Amino acid sequence: MDESRDNRFRTLPEPIRLEDTVVSVPSSTPDDPEAGRNVAQDQAVGVRETT
C-alpha cells in the first residue's frame, strides 16, 4: 500500500466550534392552512370533504 494514503488517517481533522454548526434562518408567518375558510361551516353544509 501507498504510505501517503495511510498517513491521512493518523491525525484527526481540526475541531469544529459548536457556534459554527448552528444555522439561523429568518422566519416568516406560515400560510393559513384553511385559506380563510370556516371548515366547520363547510362540513355542515357538505361543501368540503374532510380527510
Side-chain angles (χ1 to χ4, degrees):
M1 265 193 193
D2 185 9
E3 183 66 29
S4 63
R5 290 185 78 187
D6 290 340
N7 282 338
R8 65 184 172 154
F9 297 108
R10 293 184 189 266
T11 59
L12 293 173
E14 293 295 320
I16 299 173
R17 297 180 328 163
L18 182 60
E19 296 81 20
D20 294 338
T21 64
V22 178
V23 177
S24 296
V25 178
S27 64
S28 62
T29 306
D31 295 333
D32 181 12
E34 308 303 338
R37 298 181 68 183
N38 184 343
V39 177
Q41 181 181 6
D42 290 348
Q43 291 169 346
V45 295
V47 175
R48 186 167 153 178
E49 293 288 322
T50 60
T51 56

mmCIF file of all heavy atoms in Angstrom:
data_model
loop_
_atom_site.group_PDB
_atom_site.id
_atom_site.type_symbol
_atom_site.label_atom_id
_atom_site.label_comp_id
_atom_site.label_asym_id
_atom_site.label_seq_id
_atom_site.Cartn_x
_atom_site.Cartn_y
_atom_site.Cartn_z
ATOM 1 N N MET A 1 0.821 -1.202 0.000
ATOM 2 C CA MET A 1 0.000 0.000 0.000
ATOM 3 C C MET A 1 0.855 1.251 0.000
ATOM 4 O O MET A 1 1.965 1.242 0.499
ATOM 5 C CB MET A 1 -0.894 0.028 1.240
ATOM 6 C CG MET A 1 -2.232 -0.516 1.000
ATOM 7 S SD MET A 1 -3.329 -0.126 2.341
ATOM 8 C CE MET A 1 -4.576 -1.246 1.843
ATOM 9 N N ASP A 2 0.254 2.289 -0.495
ATOM 10 C CA ASP A 2 0.946 3.569 -0.531
ATOM 11 C C ASP A 2 0.961 4.172 0.872
ATOM 12 O O ASP A 2 -0.077 4.335 1.498
ATOM 13 C CB ASP A 2 0.221 4.502 -1.507
ATOM 14 C CG ASP A 2 0.954 5.805 -1.692
ATOM 15 O OD1 ASP A 2 2.091 5.935 -1.222
ATOM 16 O OD2 ASP A 2 0.362 6.695 -2.326
ATOM 17 N N GLU A 3 2.135 4.487 1.372
ATOM 18 C CA GLU A 3 2.274 5.020 2.735
ATOM 19 C C GLU A 3 1.575 6.367 2.899
ATOM 20 O O GLU A 3 1.005 6.661 3.943
ATOM 21 C CB GLU A 3 3.762 5.161 3.067
ATOM 22 C CG GLU A 3 4.052 5.637 4.472
ATOM 23 C CD GLU A 3 3.625 4.648 5.538
ATOM 24 O OE1 GLU A 3 3.609 3.441 5.263
ATOM 25 O OE2 GLU A 3 3.292 5.106 6.642
ATOM 26 N N SER A 4 1.555 7.211 1.866
ATOM 27 C CA SER A 4 0.934 8.535 1.977
ATOM 28 C C SER A 4 -0.580 8.423 2.158
ATOM 29 O O SER A 4 -1.198 9.258 2.809
ATOM 30 C CB SER A 4 1.262 9.389 0.764
ATOM 31 O OG SER A 4 0.724 8.792 -0.401
ATOM 32 N N ARG A 5 -1.202 7.395 1.602
ATOM 33 C CA ARG A 5 -2.643 7.214 1.777
ATOM 34 C C ARG A 5 -2.965 6.843 3.223
ATOM 35 O O ARG A 5 -3.988 7.227 3.755
ATOM 36 C CB ARG A 5 -3.164 6.126 0.844
ATOM 37 C CG ARG A 5 -3.142 6.547 -0.604
ATOM 38 C CD ARG A 5 -3.766 5.535 -1.468
ATOM 39 N NE ARG A 5 -5.212 5.668 -1.349
ATOM 40 C CZ ARG A 5 -6.100 4.853 -1.878
ATOM 41 N NH1 ARG A 5 -5.692 3.807 -2.560
ATOM 42 N NH2 ARG A 5 -7.374 5.059 -1.740
ATOM 43 N N ASP A 6 -2.126 6.072 3.871
ATOM 44 C CA ASP A 6 -2.359 5.664 5.253
ATOM 45 C C ASP A 6 -2.115 6.804 6.233
ATOM 46 O O ASP A 6 -2.711 6.829 7.308
ATOM 47 C CB ASP A 6 -1.474 4.483 5.611
ATOM 48 C CG ASP A 6 -1.902 3.212 4.890
ATOM 49 O OD1 ASP A 6 -3.060 3.132 4.431
ATOM 50 O OD2 ASP A 6 -1.075 2.299 4.798
ATOM 51 N N ASN A 7 -1.269 7.743 5.907
ATOM 52 C CA ASN A 7 -0.945 8.847 6.810
ATOM 53 C C ASN A 7 -2.125 9.780 7.047
ATOM 54 O O ASN A 7 -2.210 10.415 8.077
ATOM 55 C CB ASN A 7 0.244 9.647 6.282
ATOM 56 C CG ASN A 7 1.542 8.937 6.549
ATOM 57 O OD1 ASN A 7 1.627 8.096 7.430
ATOM 58 N ND2 ASN A 7 2.553 9.247 5.759
ATOM 59 N N ARG A 8 -3.031 9.865 6.109
ATOM 60 C CA ARG A 8 -4.150 10.793 6.275
ATOM 61 C C ARG A 8 -5.087 10.354 7.399
ATOM 62 O O ARG A 8 -5.873 11.135 7.906
ATOM 63 C CB ARG A 8 -4.919 10.965 4.973
ATOM 64 C CG ARG A 8 -5.592 9.720 4.502
ATOM 65 C CD ARG A 8 -6.261 9.923 3.180
ATOM 66 N NE ARG A 8 -6.714 8.636 2.702
ATOM 67 C CZ ARG A 8 -7.711 8.449 1.885
ATOM 68 N NH1 ARG A 8 -8.360 9.487 1.420
ATOM 69 N NH2 ARG A 8 -8.043 7.255 1.513
ATOM 70 N N PHE A 9 -5.005 9.107 7.826
ATOM 71 C CA PHE A 9 -5.850 8.615 8.907
ATOM 72 C C PHE A 9 -5.153 8.622 10.263
ATOM 73 O O PHE A 9 -5.723 8.217 11.259
ATOM 74 C CB PHE A 9 -6.337 7.190 8.597
ATOM 75 C CG PHE A 9 -7.203 7.125 7.380
ATOM 76 C CD1 PHE A 9 -6.734 6.551 6.217
ATOM 77 C CD2 PHE A 9 -8.485 7.639 7.397
ATOM 78 C CE1 PHE A 9 -7.535 6.481 5.090
ATOM 79 C CE2 PHE A 9 -9.295 7.582 6.276
ATOM 80 C CZ PHE A 9 -8.818 7.004 5.115
ATOM 81 N N ARG A 10 -3.947 9.081 10.316
ATOM 82 C CA ARG A 10 -3.184 9.070 11.566
ATOM 83 C C ARG A 10 -3.477 10.278 12.452
ATOM 84 O O ARG A 10 -3.232 10.230 13.646
ATOM 85 C CB ARG A 10 -1.695 8.999 11.277
ATOM 86 C CG ARG A 10 -1.296 7.686 10.647
ATOM 87 C CD ARG A 10 0.205 7.607 10.465
ATOM 88 N NE ARG A 10 0.580 6.453 9.684
ATOM 89 C CZ ARG A 10 0.930 5.276 10.201
ATOM 90 N NH1 ARG A 10 0.965 5.134 11.505
ATOM 91 N NH2 ARG A 10 1.242 4.282 9.411
ATOM 92 N N THR A 11 -3.996 11.337 11.893
ATOM 93 C CA THR A 11 -4.319 12.528 12.691
ATOM 94 C C THR A 11 -5.777 12.910 12.477
ATOM 95 O O THR A 11 -6.344 12.678 11.410
ATOM 96 C CB THR A 11 -3.436 13.727 12.285
ATOM 97 O OG1 THR A 11 -3.638 13.987 10.918
ATOM 98 C CG2 THR A 11 -1.977 13.451 12.563
ATOM 99 N N LEU A 12 -6.368 13.490 13.498
ATOM 100 C CA LEU A 12 -7.752 13.933 13.409
ATOM 101 C C LEU A 12 -7.832 15.284 12.715
ATOM 102 O O LEU A 12 -6.887 16.083 12.788
ATOM 103 C CB LEU A 12 -8.344 14.059 14.813
ATOM 104 C CG LEU A 12 -8.510 12.752 15.586
ATOM 105 C CD1 LEU A 12 -8.951 13.058 17.011
ATOM 106 C CD2 LEU A 12 -9.499 11.842 14.903
ATOM 107 N N PRO A 13 -8.933 15.574 12.063
ATOM 108 C CA PRO A 13 -9.083 16.910 11.465
ATOM 109 C C PRO A 13 -9.233 17.968 12.557
ATOM 110 O O PRO A 13 -9.468 17.649 13.726
ATOM 111 C CB PRO A 13 -10.371 16.782 10.640
ATOM 112 C CG PRO A 13 -11.102 15.641 11.237
ATOM 113 C CD PRO A 13 -10.081 14.723 11.822
ATOM 114 N N GLU A 14 -9.111 19.200 12.166
ATOM 115 C CA GLU A 14 -9.265 20.302 13.107
ATOM 116 C C GLU A 14 -10.677 20.267 13.703
ATOM 117 O O GLU A 14 -11.642 19.976 12.990
ATOM 118 C CB GLU A 14 -9.039 21.640 12.411
ATOM 119 C CG GLU A 14 -7.609 21.841 11.949
ATOM 120 C CD GLU A 14 -6.652 21.905 13.126
ATOM 121 O OE1 GLU A 14 -6.992 22.513 14.152
ATOM 122 O OE2 GLU A 14 -5.564 21.327 13.010
ATOM 123 N N PRO A 15 -10.829 20.560 14.994
ATOM 124 C CA PRO A 15 -12.168 20.561 15.594
ATOM 125 C C PRO A 15 -13.031 21.696 15.042
ATOM 126 O O PRO A 15 -12.517 22.736 14.619
ATOM 127 C CB PRO A 15 -11.909 20.752 17.083
ATOM 128 C CG PRO A 15 -10.535 21.304 17.177
ATOM 129 C CD PRO A 15 -9.781 20.866 15.953
ATOM 130 N N ILE A 16 -14.332 21.474 15.039
ATOM 131 C CA ILE A 16 -15.293 22.475 14.589
ATOM 132 C C ILE A 16 -15.974 23.055 15.806
ATOM 133 O O ILE A 16 -16.459 22.325 16.672
ATOM 134 C CB ILE A 16 -16.332 21.840 13.639
ATOM 135 C CG1 ILE A 16 -15.628 21.269 12.414
ATOM 136 C CG2 ILE A 16 -17.381 22.863 13.241
ATOM 137 C CD1 ILE A 16 -16.542 20.488 11.508
ATOM 138 N N ARG A 17 -16.016 24.378 15.888
ATOM 139 C CA ARG A 17 -16.665 25.028 17.026
ATOM 140 C C ARG A 17 -18.168 24.820 16.947
ATOM 141 O O ARG A 17 -18.749 24.785 15.867
ATOM 142 C CB ARG A 17 -16.369 26.526 17.032
ATOM 143 C CG ARG A 17 -14.914 26.853 17.200
ATOM 144 C CD ARG A 17 -14.658 28.340 17.208
ATOM 145 N NE ARG A 17 -15.599 29.055 16.361
ATOM 146 C CZ ARG A 17 -15.826 30.353 16.427
ATOM 147 N NH1 ARG A 17 -15.186 31.089 17.282
ATOM 148 N NH2 ARG A 17 -16.683 30.920 15.619
ATOM 149 N N LEU A 18 -18.810 24.683 18.091
ATOM 150 C CA LEU A 18 -20.248 24.484 18.138
ATOM 151 C C LEU A 18 -20.982 25.655 17.485
ATOM 152 O O LEU A 18 -21.984 25.469 16.791
ATOM 153 C CB LEU A 18 -20.709 24.309 19.582
ATOM 154 C CG LEU A 18 -22.185 24.052 19.782
ATOM 155 C CD1 LEU A 18 -22.608 22.776 19.072
ATOM 156 C CD2 LEU A 18 -22.516 23.956 21.249
ATOM 157 N N GLU A 19 -20.483 26.865 17.660
ATOM 158 C CA GLU A 19 -21.112 28.048 17.079
ATOM 159 C C GLU A 19 -21.143 27.984 15.552
ATOM 160 O O GLU A 19 -21.996 28.580 14.906
ATOM 161 C CB GLU A 19 -20.394 29.328 17.519
ATOM 162 C CG GLU A 19 -20.459 29.611 18.996
ATOM 163 C CD GLU A 19 -19.437 28.823 19.812
ATOM 164 O OE1 GLU A 19 -18.439 28.346 19.237
ATOM 165 O OE2 GLU A 19 -19.650 28.661 21.018
ATOM 166 N N ASP A 20 -20.208 27.245 14.968
ATOM 167 C CA ASP A 20 -20.154 27.123 13.508
ATOM 168 C C ASP A 20 -21.102 26.057 12.968
ATOM 169 O O ASP A 20 -21.234 25.900 11.755
ATOM 170 C CB ASP A 20 -18.733 26.795 13.060
ATOM 171 C CG ASP A 20 -17.771 27.935 13.347
ATOM 172 O OD1 ASP A 20 -18.241 29.085 13.493
ATOM 173 O OD2 ASP A 20 -16.557 27.674 13.436
ATOM 174 N N THR A 21 -21.760 25.307 13.854
ATOM 175 C CA THR A 21 -22.646 24.240 13.408
ATOM 176 C C THR A 21 -24.113 24.617 13.469
ATOM 177 O O THR A 21 -24.963 23.843 13.056
ATOM 178 C CB THR A 21 -22.437 22.966 14.248
ATOM 179 O OG1 THR A 21 -22.801 23.227 15.608
ATOM 180 C CG2 THR A 21 -20.997 22.489 14.180
ATOM 181 N N VAL A 22 -24.434 25.805 13.984
ATOM 182 C CA VAL A 22 -25.814 26.248 14.129
ATOM 183 C C VAL A 22 -26.146 27.210 12.998
ATOM 184 O O VAL A 22 -25.384 28.123 12.712
ATOM 185 C CB VAL A 22 -26.028 26.932 15.497
ATOM 186 C CG1 VAL A 22 -27.438 27.429 15.643
ATOM 187 C CG2 VAL A 22 -25.691 25.960 16.618
ATOM 188 N N VAL A 23 -27.289 27.004 12.362
ATOM 189 C CA VAL A 23 -27.712 27.855 11.255
ATOM 190 C C VAL A 23 -28.949 28.637 11.684
ATOM 191 O O VAL A 23 -29.879 28.074 12.246
ATOM 192 C CB VAL A 23 -28.046 27.009 10.004
ATOM 193 C CG1 VAL A 23 -28.554 27.891 8.896
ATOM 194 C CG2 VAL A 23 -26.845 26.222 9.568
ATOM 195 N N SER A 24 -28.956 29.914 11.429
ATOM 196 C CA SER A 24 -30.124 30.745 11.693
ATOM 197 C C SER A 24 -30.780 31.100 10.365
ATOM 198 O O SER A 24 -30.117 31.577 9.449
ATOM 199 C CB SER A 24 -29.719 32.029 12.415
ATOM 200 O OG SER A 24 -29.192 31.726 13.673
ATOM 201 N N VAL A 25 -32.068 30.840 10.288
ATOM 202 C CA VAL A 25 -32.821 31.112 9.071
ATOM 203 C C VAL A 25 -33.942 32.074 9.427
ATOM 204 O O VAL A 25 -34.669 31.840 10.396
ATOM 205 C CB VAL A 25 -33.407 29.808 8.485
ATOM 206 C CG1 VAL A 25 -34.218 30.097 7.252
ATOM 207 C CG2 VAL A 25 -32.308 28.821 8.201
ATOM 208 N N PRO A 26 -34.107 33.158 8.693
ATOM 209 C CA PRO A 26 -35.187 34.084 9.006
ATOM 210 C C PRO A 26 -36.539 33.386 8.845
ATOM 211 O O PRO A 26 -36.744 32.607 7.919
ATOM 212 C CB PRO A 26 -35.030 35.220 8.005
ATOM 213 C CG PRO A 26 -34.025 34.775 7.019
ATOM 214 C CD PRO A 26 -33.320 33.584 7.554
ATOM 215 N N SER A 27 -37.417 33.672 9.775
ATOM 216 C CA SER A 27 -38.727 33.023 9.721
ATOM 217 C C SER A 27 -39.759 33.927 9.059
ATOM 218 O O SER A 27 -39.577 35.129 8.935
ATOM 219 C CB SER A 27 -39.193 32.673 11.130
ATOM 220 O OG SER A 27 -39.368 33.849 11.879
ATOM 221 N N SER A 28 -40.835 33.299 8.635
ATOM 222 C CA SER A 28 -41.946 34.049 8.078
ATOM 223 C C SER A 28 -43.231 33.465 8.641
ATOM 224 O O SER A 28 -43.258 32.335 9.128
ATOM 225 C CB SER A 28 -41.948 33.965 6.549
ATOM 226 O OG SER A 28 -42.121 32.625 6.143
ATOM 227 N N THR A 29 -44.297 34.222 8.555
ATOM 228 C CA THR A 29 -45.577 33.753 9.056
ATOM 229 C C THR A 29 -46.074 32.623 8.162
ATOM 230 O O THR A 29 -46.097 32.754 6.942
ATOM 231 C CB THR A 29 -46.603 34.904 9.042
ATOM 232 O OG1 THR A 29 -46.060 36.004 9.769
ATOM 233 C CG2 THR A 29 -47.905 34.475 9.661
ATOM 234 N N PRO A 30 -46.460 31.492 8.766
ATOM 235 C CA PRO A 30 -46.948 30.384 7.931
ATOM 236 C C PRO A 30 -48.272 30.738 7.272
ATOM 237 O O PRO A 30 -49.050 31.541 7.774
ATOM 238 C CB PRO A 30 -47.108 29.234 8.925
ATOM 239 C CG PRO A 30 -47.221 29.876 10.252
ATOM 240 C CD PRO A 30 -46.470 31.168 10.176
ATOM 241 N N ASP A 31 -48.529 30.113 6.127
ATOM 242 C CA ASP A 31 -49.787 30.327 5.428
ATOM 243 C C ASP A 31 -50.947 29.758 6.241
ATOM 244 O O ASP A 31 -50.780 28.820 7.017
ATOM 245 C CB ASP A 31 -49.757 29.642 4.061
ATOM 246 C CG ASP A 31 -48.728 30.263 3.139
ATOM 247 O OD1 ASP A 31 -48.428 31.460 3.308
ATOM 248 O OD2 ASP A 31 -48.230 29.541 2.256
ATOM 249 N N ASP A 32 -52.115 30.318 6.031
ATOM 250 C CA ASP A 32 -53.317 29.842 6.701
ATOM 251 C C ASP A 32 -53.724 28.514 6.075
ATOM 252 O O ASP A 32 -54.081 28.466 4.891
ATOM 253 C CB ASP A 32 -54.436 30.873 6.540
ATOM 254 C CG ASP A 32 -55.729 30.464 7.225
ATOM 255 O OD1 ASP A 32 -55.709 29.500 8.012
ATOM 256 O OD2 ASP A 32 -56.758 31.119 6.978
ATOM 257 N N PRO A 33 -53.673 27.402 6.820
ATOM 258 C CA PRO A 33 -53.996 26.106 6.219
ATOM 259 C C PRO A 33 -55.453 25.995 5.786
ATOM 260 O O PRO A 33 -55.790 25.188 4.929
ATOM 261 C CB PRO A 33 -53.675 25.102 7.328
ATOM 262 C CG PRO A 33 -53.731 25.883 8.583
ATOM 263 C CD PRO A 33 -53.340 27.288 8.226
ATOM 264 N N GLU A 34 -56.312 26.833 6.335
ATOM 265 C CA GLU A 34 -57.729 26.801 5.963
ATOM 266 C C GLU A 34 -58.052 27.823 4.878
ATOM 267 O O GLU A 34 -59.196 27.914 4.436
ATOM 268 C CB GLU A 34 -58.603 27.069 7.193
ATOM 269 C CG GLU A 34 -58.298 26.201 8.397
ATOM 270 C CD GLU A 34 -58.408 24.706 8.114
ATOM 271 O OE1 GLU A 34 -59.099 24.324 7.147
ATOM 272 O OE2 GLU A 34 -57.799 23.934 8.851
ATOM 273 N N ALA A 35 -57.066 28.603 4.464
ATOM 274 C CA ALA A 35 -57.215 29.618 3.417
ATOM 275 C C ALA A 35 -58.348 30.588 3.727
ATOM 276 O O ALA A 35 -59.056 31.044 2.828
ATOM 277 C CB ALA A 35 -57.419 28.954 2.063
ATOM 278 N N GLY A 36 -58.532 30.907 5.000
ATOM 279 C CA GLY A 36 -59.540 31.877 5.393
ATOM 280 C C GLY A 36 -60.959 31.332 5.418
ATOM 281 O O GLY A 36 -61.907 32.077 5.632
ATOM 282 N N ARG A 37 -61.134 30.041 5.202
ATOM 283 C CA ARG A 37 -62.472 29.457 5.162
ATOM 284 C C ARG A 37 -62.842 28.907 6.533
ATOM 285 O O ARG A 37 -61.997 28.520 7.319
ATOM 286 C CB ARG A 37 -62.532 28.337 4.137
ATOM 287 C CG ARG A 37 -62.233 28.861 2.733
ATOM 288 C CD ARG A 37 -62.302 27.785 1.724
ATOM 289 N NE ARG A 37 -63.692 27.348 1.595
ATOM 290 C CZ ARG A 37 -64.083 26.365 0.818
ATOM 291 N NH1 ARG A 37 -63.200 25.701 0.120
ATOM 292 N NH2 ARG A 37 -65.344 26.035 0.737
ATOM 293 N N ASN A 38 -64.136 28.820 6.792
ATOM 294 C CA ASN A 38 -64.645 28.218 8.011
ATOM 295 C C ASN A 38 -64.929 26.741 7.701
ATOM 296 O O ASN A 38 -65.973 26.390 7.152
ATOM 297 C CB ASN A 38 -65.914 28.942 8.464
ATOM 298 C CG ASN A 38 -66.420 28.415 9.785
ATOM 299 O OD1 ASN A 38 -66.041 27.337 10.231
ATOM 300 N ND2 ASN A 38 -67.296 29.200 10.414
ATOM 301 N N VAL A 39 -63.998 25.890 8.058
ATOM 302 C CA VAL A 39 -64.086 24.477 7.706
ATOM 303 C C VAL A 39 -65.288 23.822 8.362
ATOM 304 O O VAL A 39 -65.989 23.013 7.744
ATOM 305 C CB VAL A 39 -62.788 23.745 8.085
ATOM 306 C CG1 VAL A 39 -62.902 22.255 7.798
ATOM 307 C CG2 VAL A 39 -61.610 24.335 7.338
ATOM 308 N N ALA A 40 -65.571 24.165 9.602
ATOM 309 C CA ALA A 40 -66.715 23.567 10.298
ATOM 310 C C ALA A 40 -68.015 23.894 9.568
ATOM 311 O O ALA A 40 -68.889 23.030 9.416
ATOM 312 C CB ALA A 40 -66.762 24.059 11.742
ATOM 313 N N GLN A 41 -68.139 25.111 9.106
ATOM 314 C CA GLN A 41 -69.344 25.501 8.372
ATOM 315 C C GLN A 41 -69.416 24.763 7.026
ATOM 316 O O GLN A 41 -70.476 24.287 6.626
ATOM 317 C CB GLN A 41 -69.359 27.006 8.139
ATOM 318 C CG GLN A 41 -70.602 27.482 7.399
ATOM 319 C CD GLN A 41 -70.579 28.983 7.163
ATOM 320 O OE1 GLN A 41 -69.584 29.652 7.446
ATOM 321 N NE2 GLN A 41 -71.645 29.502 6.645
ATOM 322 N N ASP A 42 -68.291 24.656 6.332
ATOM 323 C CA ASP A 42 -68.265 23.936 5.062
ATOM 324 C C ASP A 42 -68.669 22.479 5.250
ATOM 325 O O ASP A 42 -69.402 21.918 4.443
ATOM 326 C CB ASP A 42 -66.879 24.010 4.430
ATOM 327 C CG ASP A 42 -66.541 25.401 3.919
ATOM 328 O OD1 ASP A 42 -67.463 26.246 3.855
ATOM 329 O OD2 ASP A 42 -65.378 25.636 3.585
ATOM 330 N N GLN A 43 -68.199 21.861 6.308
ATOM 331 C CA GLN A 43 -68.555 20.472 6.573
ATOM 332 C C GLN A 43 -70.047 20.332 6.882
ATOM 333 O O GLN A 43 -70.680 19.367 6.470
ATOM 334 C CB GLN A 43 -67.740 19.926 7.744
ATOM 335 C CG GLN A 43 -66.269 19.763 7.404
ATOM 336 C CD GLN A 43 -65.424 19.482 8.632
ATOM 337 O OE1 GLN A 43 -65.871 19.663 9.763
ATOM 338 N NE2 GLN A 43 -64.182 19.063 8.405
ATOM 339 N N ALA A 44 -70.590 21.301 7.599
ATOM 340 C CA ALA A 44 -72.009 21.243 7.972
ATOM 341 C C ALA A 44 -72.914 21.310 6.748
ATOM 342 O O ALA A 44 -73.946 20.656 6.693
ATOM 343 C CB ALA A 44 -72.349 22.379 8.938
ATOM 344 N N VAL A 45 -72.530 22.084 5.748
ATOM 345 C CA VAL A 45 -73.365 22.205 4.561
ATOM 346 C C VAL A 45 -72.910 21.269 3.438
ATOM 347 O O VAL A 45 -73.517 21.258 2.370
ATOM 348 C CB VAL A 45 -73.418 23.674 4.050
ATOM 349 C CG1 VAL A 45 -74.085 24.563 5.044
ATOM 350 C CG2 VAL A 45 -72.039 24.178 3.695
ATOM 351 N N GLY A 46 -71.868 20.490 3.686
ATOM 352 C CA GLY A 46 -71.406 19.494 2.717
ATOM 353 C C GLY A 46 -70.613 20.055 1.572
ATOM 354 O O GLY A 46 -70.565 19.448 0.508
ATOM 355 N N VAL A 47 -70.000 21.199 1.759
ATOM 356 C CA VAL A 47 -69.228 21.819 0.674
ATOM 357 C C VAL A 47 -67.849 21.192 0.549
ATOM 358 O O VAL A 47 -67.337 21.051 -0.545
ATOM 359 C CB VAL A 47 -69.094 23.344 0.917
ATOM 360 C CG1 VAL A 47 -68.195 23.989 -0.115
ATOM 361 C CG2 VAL A 47 -70.456 23.990 0.947
ATOM 362 N N ARG A 48 -67.273 20.772 1.649
ATOM 363 C CA ARG A 48 -65.870 20.326 1.639
ATOM 364 C C ARG A 48 -65.747 19.000 2.372
ATOM 365 O O ARG A 48 -66.284 18.818 3.453
ATOM 366 C CB ARG A 48 -65.014 21.394 2.313
ATOM 367 C CG ARG A 48 -63.557 21.140 2.263
ATOM 368 C CD ARG A 48 -62.852 22.414 2.669
ATOM 369 N NE ARG A 48 -61.560 22.101 3.246
ATOM 370 C CZ ARG A 48 -60.724 23.009 3.649
ATOM 371 N NH1 ARG A 48 -61.039 24.265 3.588
ATOM 372 N NH2 ARG A 48 -59.562 22.671 4.154
ATOM 373 N N GLU A 49 -65.023 18.098 1.766
ATOM 374 C CA GLU A 49 -64.768 16.794 2.398
ATOM 375 C C GLU A 49 -63.645 16.937 3.427
ATOM 376 O O GLU A 49 -62.771 17.777 3.286
ATOM 377 C CB GLU A 49 -64.325 15.770 1.342
ATOM 378 C CG GLU A 49 -65.414 15.433 0.354
ATOM 379 C CD GLU A 49 -66.515 14.572 0.966
ATOM 380 O OE1 GLU A 49 -66.193 13.698 1.776
ATOM 381 O OE2 GLU A 49 -67.679 14.808 0.622
ATOM 382 N N THR A 50 -63.686 16.111 4.439
ATOM 383 C CA THR A 50 -62.589 16.085 5.414
ATOM 384 C C THR A 50 -61.790 14.824 5.208
ATOM 385 O O THR A 50 -62.268 13.823 4.706
ATOM 386 C CB THR A 50 -63.124 16.116 6.859
ATOM 387 O OG1 THR A 50 -63.959 14.969 7.050
ATOM 388 C CG2 THR A 50 -63.900 17.384 7.124
ATOM 389 N N THR A 51 -60.524 14.914 5.582
ATOM 390 C CA THR A 51 -59.658 13.742 5.438
ATOM 391 C C THR A 51 -59.326 13.176 6.784
ATOM 392 O O THR A 51 -59.474 13.791 7.780
ATOM 393 C CB THR A 51 -58.361 14.109 4.701
ATOM 394 O OG1 THR A 51 -57.728 15.179 5.392
ATOM 395 C CG2 THR A 51 -58.644 14.473 3.276
#
